[in-house]
Amino acid sequence: MQQDDQESPATPLRIGGWVPPASPGRPAAQAPGARPVTPLPEPRSGTGGRPTGSRAAARTARRRVALRWSGRRSAAVTIIALAATGVLVASISRIGSPATSAQLPALPLPWSPTPVPASAAAVALPPGSPTRPPDPTPSRSLARPEGSVTSFVPAARPSASRSSPAPPAAAEPAPATPFRASYEAESQRNVLGGQTRPLPRDDASAGLVVRFVGNGPDNFLRFVGVTVPEPGTYNVRVQYISGEPRPAMVLINGRAVMSLVYPASPDWYTVAAVTLRLPLDAGPNTIEFRNDTAWAPDFDRIDLTR
């Protein structure tokens, strides 16, 4: 009984190859033939007592969640932008139709002195967005992306030198060919009517003058064969001698063209001259001097120029 009462060493419970650890006051018993059991190391804790592996896993999870929300946010923004664009295009299409444009009131533009017609009603844009004049053609789109800036430059008016050809230069008349001719009063080709006859005078061009012209219709001097190259007005210089002013009439080809008083020459022996502007035809002409009521000067010669 004493042996039963004596405490015998307890045999440790063996579960497979694992033996429960010994209590603090008693060492663990090793079963014969069993492998030694190495205790598992306790996990190291970081700041605040949280395991280091759990922190890395939590950080990775948060990053994945942030990336997932970022992708969802981008997709949502894209969907909203597409929806807004569709609404804007639909509004513009309704504005471009005749029925809608007729219902919209005409809005005056701040930069135009005249009101905008109803067919070109302006589109209300959000505050702060740039504005532009409406397009008067309904078929063209009035939409402009928000935030875009359109600059308007006035079209340069074409210069006159580019838009219209220069007028052709007027043809300048060809310079007149110099012309000069002289005819003596006492020439045998001329007609001396009535009492007229040549008499000598030292101051005359050929030493002779024709006297006694006038004082009746029969006494006249007619130059014959006065030829010019073309019709026109010519300068006719008449050389004469007259001690007093005397009148005389001028006839061209039998037509009276002028009547004038010839100024007095220094005396009855000195030649004086006057220049007349007479119309002549191309070819030969006649120039006649006469005075039917009084005496005319004594005539020396005529010089034609142009």
Side-chain angles (χ1 to χ4, degrees):
M1 296 298 292
Q2 294 179 353
Q3 292 179 352
D4 295 334
D5 295 335
Q6 291 181 355
E7 186 178 358
S8 61
T11 302
L13 179 60
R14 179 179 180 183
I15 301 175
W18 178 79
V19 178
S23 62
R26 186 173 50 186
Q30 183 70 29
R35 291 179 299 175
V37 178
T38 303
L40 296 175
E42 295 183 0
R44 292 178 298 175
S45 61
T47 304
R50 181 177 298 176
T52 303
S54 299
R55 174 177 298 181
R59 185 180 298 113
T60 303
R62 284 197 302 272
R63 186 178 296 109
R64 291 178 180 176
V65 172
L67 291 176
R68 187 181 299 110
W69 276 106
S70 177
R72 292 179 180 179
R73 189 183 300 108
S74 299
V77 170
T78 304
I79 293 173
I80 293 174
L82 293 176
T85 304
V87 172
L88 182 59
V89 171
S91 301
I92 294 173
S93 301
R94 288 197 302 272
I95 291 175
S97 61
T100 306
S101 59
Q103 297 175 1
L104 295 177
L107 301 178
L109 297 177
W111 56 80
S112 175
T114 57
V116 179
S119 60
V123 180
L125 298 178
S129 61
T131 58
R132 62 180 299 273
D135 195 337
T137 305
S139 60
R140 295 176 59 185
S141 176
L142 300 177
R144 288 293 183 273
E146 184 176 356
S148 63
V149 178
T150 305
S151 60
F152 298 91
V153 180
R157 182 174 299 176
S159 60
S161 60
R162 296 182 179 178
S163 60
S164 60
E172 298 182 358
T177 305
F179 173 78
R180 182 180 296 272
S182 298
Y183 300 90
E184 294 288 342
E186 68 276 8
S187 173
Q188 296 181 358
R189 295 181 303 173
N190 298 339
V191 178
L192 306 179
Q195 301 177 3
T196 58
R197 60 183 182 272
L199 291 174
R201 282 292 183 267
D202 294 339
D203 202 33
S205 61
L208 295 173
V209 295
V210 174
R211 298 191 66 190
F212 306 110
V213 176
N215 199 31
D218 296 334
N219 304 322
F220 59 86
L221 168 62
R222 183 182 299 155
F223 288 84
V224 180
V226 180
T227 305
V228 295
E230 57 187 12
T233 302
Y234 290 80
N235 299 321
V236 179
R237 184 174 181 268
V238 181
Q239 294 185 188
Y240 68 95
I241 294 176
S242 179
E244 61 183 3
R246 290 186 177 183
M249 184 181 297
V250 181
L251 290 81
I252 303 296
N253 298 324
R255 302 186 307 270
V257 295
M258 70 171 55
S259 178
L260 72 154
V261 176
Y262 292 81
S265 56
D267 50 45
W268 288 101
Y269 301 95
T270 304
V271 175
V274 294
T275 300
L276 310 178
R277 295 278 294 170
L278 301 179
L280 301 177
D281 298 334
N285 297 268
T286 62
I287 301 178
E288 181 178 329
F289 298 91
R290 66 187 304 153
N291 189 341
D292 296 342
T293 58
W295 292 108
D298 300 338
F299 294 96
D300 177 22
R301 62 182 288 176
I302 59 175
D303 298 323
L304 276 69
T305 57
R306 181 178 59 179

